[in-house]
Amino acid sequence: MRDRTCANCLCSVRKTLRADVLTGSFLMVPAGLAVVPAPFLLRSRSTSPRGTHEQGWQLRYWYPSTGVVRLPSRRIDVQVLRLLLDAIRRTIRIGIQYQSMSRTEPKRRVISPHAIVFDGIRWHVRGYCHERNEFRDFVFARITDVASDSSGLLGVSGDGDQAWNSFVEVILAVAPHLSEGQKRAVEVDYGMDRGLLTLRVREALLLYFYQQLPLFEPVGRARYNQIILQNRESLLPHFEKLGIDL
Protein backbone atom coordinates (compact mmCIF):
# COMPACT_ATOMS: atom_id res chain seq x y z
CA MET A 1 0.00 0.00 0.00
CA ARG A 2 2.83 2.38 0.86
CA ASP A 3 4.59 1.78 -2.44
CA ARG A 4 1.36 2.33 -4.34
CA THR A 5 0.73 5.60 -2.48
CA CYS A 6 4.24 6.85 -3.17
CA ALA A 7 3.92 5.88 -6.81
CA ASN A 8 0.67 7.82 -7.06
CA CYS A 9 2.30 10.83 -5.39
CA LEU A 10 5.21 10.72 -7.79
CA CYS A 11 2.83 10.41 -10.73
CA SER A 12 0.91 13.47 -9.51
CA VAL A 13 4.13 15.43 -9.09
CA ARG A 14 5.27 14.53 -12.58
CA LYS A 15 1.92 15.50 -14.07
CA THR A 16 1.92 18.78 -12.17
CA LEU A 17 5.48 19.55 -13.16
CA ARG A 18 4.85 18.67 -16.78
CA ALA A 19 1.67 20.77 -16.96
CA ASP A 20 3.29 23.77 -15.32
CA VAL A 21 6.42 23.58 -17.43
CA LEU A 22 4.32 23.47 -20.58
CA THR A 23 2.22 26.44 -19.50
CA GLY A 24 5.21 28.40 -18.29
CA SER A 25 3.97 28.83 -14.71
CA PHE A 26 6.76 26.77 -13.11
CA LEU A 27 9.81 28.88 -12.47
CA MET A 28 12.43 26.36 -13.64
CA VAL A 29 11.75 26.11 -17.36
CA PRO A 30 14.19 23.82 -19.23
CA ALA A 31 16.28 25.71 -21.76
CA GLY A 32 15.02 25.43 -25.31
CA LEU A 33 11.47 24.42 -24.34
CA ALA A 34 8.85 26.52 -26.11
CA VAL A 35 6.30 27.86 -23.62
CA VAL A 36 3.27 30.14 -23.84
CA PRO A 37 3.59 33.24 -21.64
CA ALA A 38 -0.16 34.04 -21.54
CA PRO A 39 -1.21 31.32 -19.03
CA PHE A 40 1.51 32.37 -16.59
CA LEU A 41 0.55 36.05 -16.86
CA LEU A 42 -3.15 35.24 -16.45
CA ARG A 43 -2.40 33.27 -13.28
CA SER A 44 -0.30 36.17 -12.01
CA ARG A 45 -3.40 38.37 -12.14
CA SER A 46 -5.03 36.27 -9.41
CA THR A 47 -2.10 36.55 -6.99
CA SER A 48 -1.73 39.13 -4.24
CA PRO A 49 -0.20 42.53 -5.06
CA ARG A 50 3.10 41.34 -3.59
CA GLY A 51 5.13 38.47 -4.99
CA THR A 52 3.76 35.16 -3.76
CA HIS A 53 4.71 31.51 -3.50
CA GLU A 54 2.54 28.43 -3.83
CA GLN A 55 3.71 25.27 -2.13
CA GLY A 56 2.75 21.87 -3.50
CA TRP A 57 4.54 18.52 -3.60
CA GLN A 58 7.68 20.35 -2.47
CA LEU A 59 7.69 22.26 -5.75
CA ARG A 60 7.75 26.01 -5.25
CA TYR A 61 5.85 28.35 -7.56
CA TRP A 62 6.73 32.02 -7.68
CA TYR A 63 4.92 35.04 -9.07
CA PRO A 64 6.24 38.60 -9.16
CA SER A 65 4.45 41.57 -7.67
CA THR A 66 1.59 42.17 -10.10
CA GLY A 67 -0.51 45.26 -10.75
CA VAL A 68 -3.87 44.97 -12.51
CA VAL A 69 -6.02 47.86 -13.71
CA ARG A 70 -9.37 47.22 -12.03
CA LEU A 71 -12.30 48.04 -14.29
CA PRO A 72 -15.92 47.87 -13.11
CA SER A 73 -16.97 44.23 -13.18
CA ARG A 74 -20.17 43.03 -14.85
CA ARG A 75 -22.42 40.84 -12.73
CA ILE A 76 -23.19 37.38 -14.11
CA ASP A 77 -25.73 35.28 -12.23
CA VAL A 78 -24.59 31.66 -11.97
CA GLN A 79 -28.10 30.26 -12.43
CA VAL A 80 -28.68 32.40 -15.51
CA LEU A 81 -25.39 31.23 -16.98
CA ARG A 82 -26.18 27.57 -16.25
CA LEU A 83 -29.62 27.67 -17.86
CA LEU A 84 -28.40 29.52 -20.93
CA LEU A 85 -25.52 27.09 -21.45
CA ASP A 86 -27.98 24.21 -21.13
CA ALA A 87 -30.24 25.83 -23.75
CA ILE A 88 -27.28 26.23 -26.10
CA ARG A 89 -26.28 22.60 -25.64
CA ARG A 90 -29.82 21.32 -26.27
CA THR A 91 -30.72 23.88 -28.98
CA ILE A 92 -33.95 24.91 -27.24
CA ARG A 93 -35.86 28.12 -26.79
CA ILE A 94 -35.65 29.88 -23.49
CA GLY A 95 -37.48 32.82 -21.95
CA ILE A 96 -35.48 35.64 -20.42
CA GLN A 97 -36.28 38.84 -18.56
CA TYR A 98 -34.06 41.43 -20.22
CA GLN A 99 -33.34 44.98 -19.14
CA SER A 100 -32.65 46.93 -22.31
CA MET A 101 -31.40 50.49 -22.54
CA SER A 102 -34.66 51.61 -24.16
CA ARG A 103 -37.07 50.47 -21.41
CA THR A 104 -37.53 51.37 -17.77
CA GLU A 105 -38.49 47.82 -16.79
CA PRO A 106 -37.23 44.37 -17.85
CA LYS A 107 -39.20 42.74 -20.64
CA ARG A 108 -39.70 39.04 -21.33
CA ARG A 109 -38.19 37.79 -24.55
CA VAL A 110 -37.96 34.33 -26.03
CA ILE A 111 -34.59 33.56 -27.56
CA SER A 112 -32.76 30.60 -29.05
CA PRO A 113 -29.20 31.02 -27.76
CA HIS A 114 -26.37 29.37 -29.67
CA ALA A 115 -23.11 31.05 -28.56
CA ILE A 116 -21.46 33.23 -25.95
CA VAL A 117 -19.36 36.27 -26.77
CA PHE A 118 -16.68 38.21 -24.89
CA ASP A 119 -16.16 41.68 -26.33
CA GLY A 120 -13.06 42.44 -24.28
CA ILE A 121 -15.03 43.87 -21.35
CA ARG A 122 -18.47 42.25 -21.14
CA TRP A 123 -19.94 38.80 -21.76
CA HIS A 124 -22.94 38.39 -24.08
CA VAL A 125 -25.12 35.50 -25.16
CA ARG A 126 -25.88 35.40 -28.88
CA GLY A 127 -29.07 33.92 -30.19
CA TYR A 128 -32.20 34.28 -32.28
CA CYS A 129 -34.73 36.75 -30.86
CA HIS A 130 -38.24 35.49 -31.58
CA GLU A 131 -39.64 38.99 -31.06
CA ARG A 132 -37.34 40.80 -33.47
CA ASN A 133 -36.97 37.78 -35.79
CA GLU A 134 -33.23 38.20 -36.04
CA PHE A 135 -30.01 37.09 -34.38
CA ARG A 136 -28.88 39.47 -31.65
CA ASP A 137 -26.50 39.76 -28.69
CA PHE A 138 -27.79 40.06 -25.13
CA VAL A 139 -25.59 41.31 -22.29
CA PHE A 140 -25.39 38.63 -19.58
CA ALA A 141 -25.56 41.16 -16.74
CA ARG A 142 -28.85 42.58 -18.07
CA ILE A 143 -30.62 39.22 -17.99
CA THR A 144 -32.49 39.29 -14.70
CA ASP A 145 -34.28 35.93 -14.94
CA VAL A 146 -34.42 32.83 -17.15
CA ALA A 147 -37.15 30.22 -17.68
CA SER A 148 -37.51 27.44 -20.25
CA ASP A 149 -40.04 28.29 -22.94
CA SER A 150 -43.33 26.52 -22.20
CA SER A 151 -44.01 25.81 -25.89
CA GLY A 152 -41.52 22.96 -25.86
CA LEU A 153 -40.37 23.83 -29.37
CA LEU A 154 -36.80 23.40 -30.45
CA GLY A 155 -34.81 26.57 -30.82
CA VAL A 156 -33.43 28.17 -33.96
CA SER A 157 -30.02 26.76 -34.80
CA GLY A 158 -27.00 28.99 -35.05
CA ASP A 159 -26.39 27.52 -38.51
CA GLY A 160 -28.67 30.23 -39.87
CA ASP A 161 -26.74 33.06 -38.22
CA GLN A 162 -25.00 34.38 -41.31
CA ALA A 163 -23.11 37.16 -39.53
CA TRP A 164 -21.80 34.70 -36.94
CA ASN A 165 -20.69 32.13 -39.49
CA SER A 166 -19.10 34.68 -41.84
CA PHE A 167 -15.52 35.82 -41.33
CA VAL A 168 -13.77 38.88 -42.70
CA GLU A 169 -10.10 39.76 -42.84
CA VAL A 170 -9.13 42.89 -40.98
CA ILE A 171 -5.70 44.24 -41.92
CA LEU A 172 -4.03 46.57 -39.44
CA ALA A 173 -1.06 48.73 -40.39
CA VAL A 174 1.31 51.09 -38.63
CA ALA A 175 0.11 54.69 -38.78
CA PRO A 176 2.11 56.45 -41.54
CA HIS A 177 2.69 59.68 -39.56
CA LEU A 178 4.91 57.94 -36.99
CA SER A 179 8.70 58.21 -37.04
CA GLU A 180 10.79 55.20 -38.05
CA GLY A 181 11.56 54.41 -34.42
CA GLN A 182 7.92 54.69 -33.45
CA LYS A 183 6.87 52.47 -36.35
CA ARG A 184 9.33 49.81 -35.26
CA ALA A 185 8.04 49.96 -31.69
CA VAL A 186 4.44 49.49 -32.88
CA GLU A 187 5.44 46.60 -35.14
CA VAL A 188 7.09 44.81 -32.23
CA ASP A 189 4.20 45.62 -29.88
CA TYR A 190 1.53 44.12 -32.16
CA GLY A 191 3.69 41.36 -33.63
CA MET A 192 3.39 42.76 -37.14
CA ASP A 193 5.13 41.47 -40.22
CA ARG A 194 6.50 44.30 -42.38
CA GLY A 195 4.15 46.74 -40.71
CA LEU A 196 0.99 44.67 -41.23
CA LEU A 197 -1.17 42.40 -39.09
CA THR A 198 -4.05 40.37 -40.52
CA LEU A 199 -6.86 39.26 -38.20
CA ARG A 200 -9.77 36.94 -38.97
CA VAL A 201 -12.88 38.37 -37.31
CA ARG A 202 -16.47 37.15 -37.26
CA GLU A 203 -18.69 39.65 -39.03
CA ALA A 204 -21.02 39.59 -36.00
CA LEU A 205 -18.15 40.77 -33.77
CA LEU A 206 -16.96 43.68 -35.92
CA LEU A 207 -18.90 46.11 -33.74
CA TYR A 208 -16.90 45.09 -30.67
CA PHE A 209 -13.70 45.19 -32.67
CA TYR A 210 -14.62 48.72 -33.70
CA GLN A 211 -15.27 49.71 -30.09
CA GLN A 212 -12.10 48.24 -28.59
CA LEU A 213 -9.38 49.45 -30.95
CA PRO A 214 -8.45 53.13 -31.43
CA LEU A 215 -8.87 53.02 -35.20
CA PHE A 216 -11.71 55.40 -35.80
CA GLU A 217 -10.91 58.58 -33.89
CA PRO A 218 -12.23 61.89 -35.28
CA VAL A 219 -10.01 63.44 -37.93
CA GLY A 220 -8.56 65.94 -35.49
CA ARG A 221 -7.27 63.15 -33.26
CA ALA A 222 -6.02 60.81 -35.99
CA ARG A 223 -2.44 61.87 -35.29
CA TYR A 224 -2.64 60.10 -31.91
CA ASN A 225 -3.38 56.73 -33.47
CA GLN A 226 -0.58 54.19 -33.63
CA ILE A 227 -2.39 51.82 -35.99
CA ILE A 228 -4.79 52.26 -38.90
CA LEU A 229 -7.27 50.08 -40.78
CA GLN A 230 -5.46 49.14 -43.98
CA ASN A 231 -8.39 47.56 -45.85
CA ARG A 232 -11.00 50.13 -44.85
CA GLU A 233 -12.76 50.22 -48.24
CA SER A 234 -13.32 46.46 -48.44
CA LEU A 235 -14.80 46.45 -44.93
CA LEU A 236 -17.26 49.30 -45.50
CA PRO A 237 -20.17 47.02 -46.57
CA HIS A 238 -19.74 44.90 -43.44
CA PHE A 239 -19.72 47.92 -41.14
CA GLU A 240 -22.74 49.38 -42.91
CA LYS A 241 -24.70 46.22 -42.06
CA LEU A 242 -23.97 46.95 -38.41
CA GLY A 243 -25.02 50.58 -38.74
CA ILE A 244 -21.46 51.88 -38.29
CA ASP A 245 -20.51 54.92 -40.31
CA LEU A 246 -16.79 55.04 -41.02
Side-chain angles (χ1 to χ4, degrees):
M1 179 64 69
R2 181 179 179 182
D3 291 340
R4 181 178 300 177
T5 302
C6 291
N8 290 337
C9 291
L10 181 59
C11 182
S12 297
V13 171
R14 286 174 176 170
K15 288 181 178 178
T16 302
L17 176 59
R18 181 175 180 272
D20 285 313
V21 166
L22 290 178
T23 59
S25 61
F26 186 61
L27 186 59
M28 301 301 293
V29 180
L33 179 64
V35 296
V36 181
F40 172 79
L41 295 176
L42 288 174
R43 288 182 64 177
S44 296
R45 290 175 55 182
S46 62
T47 66
S48 63
R50 297 184 299 274
T52 187
H53 295 76
E54 294 180 2
Q55 187 72 34
W57 299 109
Q58 297 183 350
L59 296 176
R60 186 168 292 275
Y61 302 85
W62 175 86
Y63 299 93
S65 178
T66 304
V68 178
V69 176
R70 297 297 181 186
L71 299 176
S73 61
R74 270 31 179 218
R75 178 192 62 85
I76 298 180
D77 185 275
V78 174
Q79 182 71 355
V80 168
L81 176 61
R82 185 185 68 80
L83 291 173
L84 285 171
L85 291 177
D86 182 64
I88 293 174
R89 182 179 62 84
R90 297 166 57 195
T91 317
I92 63 172
R93 297 185 182 191
I94 196 166
I96 64 172
Q97 289 290 120
Y98 191 71
Q99 180 62 67
S100 68
M101 295 286 287
S102 59
R103 295 179 180 273
T104 57
E105 297 293 334
K107 180 182 179 180
R108 185 177 185 273
R109 299 192 188 186
V110 177
I111 66 172
S112 295
H114 72 82
I116 59 175
V117 174
F118 183 62
D119 66 7
I121 297 178
R122 301 183 301 183
W123 282 97
H124 310 249
V125 59
R126 184 168 180 84
Y128 187 81
C129 176
H130 293 270
E131 177 185 343
R132 301 285 186 90
N133 294 318
E134 62 182 3
F135 288 96
R136 300 175 66 89
D137 293 346
F138 300 89
V139 180
F140 261 110
R142 297 179 186 169
I143 300 175
T144 61
D145 195 17
V146 177
S148 298
D149 185 34
S150 59
S151 65
L153 296 176
L154 288 176
V156 176
S157 169
D159 294 341
D161 191 345
Q162 184 176 357
W164 179 261
N165 295 309
S166 299
F167 291 83
V168 296
E169 279 195 350
V170 177
I171 303 176
L172 303 180
V174 178
H177 66 270
L178 299 179
S179 68
E180 290 305 314
Q182 291 171 332
K183 289 179 180 178
R184 179 57 184 158
V186 174
E187 288 180 5
V188 172
D189 192 13
Y190 285 90
M192 292 181 169
D193 182 15
R194 299 178 183 178
L196 297 176
L197 176 65
T198 301
L199 301 174
R200 191 167 179 259
V201 181
R202 291 185 188 273
E203 186 179 62
L205 305 185
L206 276 175
L207 174 61
Y208 306 131
F209 185 88
Y210 168 88
Q211 293 172 335
Q212 297 300 336
L213 284 182
L215 296 169
F216 312 101
E217 296 288 349
V219 175
R221 291 184 55 83
R223 65 182 183 276
Y224 297 110
N225 289 357
Q226 297 180 347
I227 55 177
I228 62 171
L229 192 61
Q230 180 77 0
N231 59 333
R232 177 191 178 101
E233 295 300 321
S234 64
L235 291 176
L236 283 177
H238 302 285
F239 281 108
E240 288 173 357
K241 286 183 184 179
L242 301 172
I244 300 174
D245 184 12
L246 298 184

